[in-house]
Amino acid sequence: MQPSTKIKALFSSFSIKLFVWFWLIAITSIFSTRFISHQLSSDTYNRVVSQAPLHNELRQLHNTARKIERSKIKNLDQLLQTKQQRFIKGPFNLWFKSIDTNSTVYSLFRLPPKHQQVVTRYLNEQVFDKAITSVFPHTRLVGPVLIKINKQNYQLFISRKQHRRNFGQLVQDLPSWARVTIPIFISFILCLLLARSFSKPIATIKKAATELGKGNLATRVTGITKRNDELGQLAKSFNQMAEQLQQNQSAQQRLLGDVSHELRSPMTRLQMALGLAQQDSTTQAARQQYLQRCQLEIERLNQMIEDALALSRLENTLQTIEKKHLNFTALIERIIHQEQFVANEKSITIVLDSNVIVELVGNHNLLFSAISNVVTNAVKYSPEHSTVKATLSLNNQLVSLVICDNGIGVPPASLTELFTPFYRVNLARDRKTGGTGLGLAIAKQAIMAHQGNIFAKNNENKGLSVTIQLPL
């Protein structure tokens, strides 16, 4: 797996997402708490930076002082009441600090209450011996310069509103309830999104599980399977489970219908043979022939039921099979030795072409049954005095067994249907050979239980080749 793929898989993990979300919420809570306490602190709001005044600020301050002293203003109250803008215009403001009385502070224009309170307290608490520029988060204050109004001494200051405002200054202007509500609302939204990201897919899976429990095996989880985290994997696993259950039910229903249909023909022939054998006009020789026919049909019924049960067990994908280490080459040799007795009746020779000793993990009985069914079919449909060849090879951790006969083969359209239960290429031929139509279906299910593959193809000259592939 490439590093980028590993990183993508890591950050797609449900556990990582859960950690990151809670981490973000924790960080947000910490910073929100810090931010609120910081903003509610008077030190922050009252923070001031002192620096040397600019030349144009000093010039404006002195020009304004001269204008006030040359005017005919009788006292400070008259100046404050008339708010004469010939001395200063917005966005500037004038501040007066009395130095003859109790250091009272006055302003020509009123600022917002919090700003007014902060600047007033600052001027009252500070002692100025020279002109400086005092920079607040909200106001820039320059001064003082000494002036006289009606023989009263005052310190004159000029202020203007700070134009550069950051987010913290904007929050400072908000009411206290708003500064508390905003982070609470943000954390609420984050937690809500977190809860929905978890609860919505879980609710969807729960709904699908409820429908599945009611017997609707066609239910599938949609809209979540594209996720790469654990919830997406859970949805995919649920869909796989539902698919397997539906396949099992369909297989059972199909098998039940097929068995019911296939049992009719031998049962009908059995009833006819018994009816003829019971007739008074039937001779002893004919009666004996009818009874032999009954015996044959009973054996076929018994074989069909056994095969149907075996197929049913294999199609039940929820059933686990026991696997052990086994010598696959020796297993094939035993099968060929056993089937050779039947092949001798038609003078057919079964040969094994292999130069490898293959060992794998599998179920001995299932593999024995699957390969035996394929070899038996090859012998049944091969002409007399012919050869059935089994070729065993090993390639890239894959075992391949090819069983080739010299029969007439099958129509190309029937190749994919050969492993379907009760499928027969030629009904009359299968009836003659005693086939039930379940042998290759059983073989397919046994091979699939080992995560293998089985398929058939016609040979170039004549005959049919069945290939079995198994992983080591």
Side-chain angles (χ1 to χ4, degrees), residues 140 172 466:
R140 185 178 180 91
Q172 289 175 1
V466 177

Side-chain angles (χ1 to χ4, degrees), residues 147-248:
I147 65 170
K148 285 186 178 182
I149 300 178
N150 195 21
K151 300 181 179 180
Q152 292 289 329
N153 294 319
Y154 294 94
Q155 287 183 330
L156 175 65
F157 301 83
I158 294 180
S159 71
R160 65 179 175 86
K161 184 178 180 181
Q162 283 281 67
H163 296 287
R164 293 179 297 175
R165 298 174 60 80
N166 54 33
F167 179 74
Q169 294 171 354
L170 293 176
V171 173
Q172 289 175 1
D173 294 337
L174 294 175
S176 298
W177 65 267
R179 281 181 274 168
V180 175
T181 303
I182 289 176
I184 293 177
F185 178 75
I186 294 175
S187 62
F188 172 79
I189 295 298
L190 291 176
C191 290
L192 179 63
L193 293 175
L194 174 64
R196 282 184 59 84
S197 68
F198 295 159
S199 62
K200 186 176 180 180
I202 293 175
T204 303
I205 297 175
K206 177 181 177 295
K207 181 179 179 181
T210 303
E211 289 295 321
L212 189 68
K214 293 178 180 179
N216 184 9
L217 299 184
T219 301
R220 299 292 184 271
V221 177
T222 58
I224 309 176
T225 54
K226 294 182 179 180
R227 296 174 59 136
N228 295 323
D229 56 15
E230 284 81 351
L231 288 176
Q233 295 173 4
L234 177 61
K236 293 176 184 177
S237 298
F238 179 90
N239 288 344
Q240 291 175 358
M241 177 190 69
E243 183 69 25
Q244 293 295 340
L245 289 174
Q246 188 175 28
Q247 288 180 3
N248 289 337

Side-chain angles (χ1 to χ4, degrees), residues 294-321:
C294 290
Q295 177 72 22
L296 177 62
E297 296 299 336
I298 290 173
E299 291 177 355
R300 286 183 175 177
L301 284 171
N302 182 59
Q303 183 63 41
M304 184 180 297
I305 292 172
E306 289 182 358
D307 290 345
L309 290 175
L311 181 62
S312 176
R313 286 192 294 268
L314 289 172
E315 285 188 335
N316 183 7
T317 55
L318 299 180
Q319 178 183 358
T320 58
I321 62 174

Side-chain angles (χ1 to χ4, degrees), residues 6 49 55 65 120 164 171 191 230 271 283 287 350 423 469:
K6 290 183 179 179
V49 177
H55 177 71
T120 300
R164 293 179 297 175
V171 173
C191 290
E230 284 81 351
Q271 289 175 349
T283 63
R287 182 175 289 109
I350 307 175
Y423 180 79
Q469 294 177 335

Side-chain angles (χ1 to χ4, degrees), residues 13 20 83 111 185 212 214 219 268 277 319 359 373 378 416 421 436 457:
S13 171
V20 170
K83 299 186 183 299
L111 300 181
F185 178 75
L212 189 68
K214 293 178 180 179
T219 301
T268 300
Q319 178 183 358
E359 292 187 356
N373 279 327
T416 57
T436 62
K457 68 176 182 178

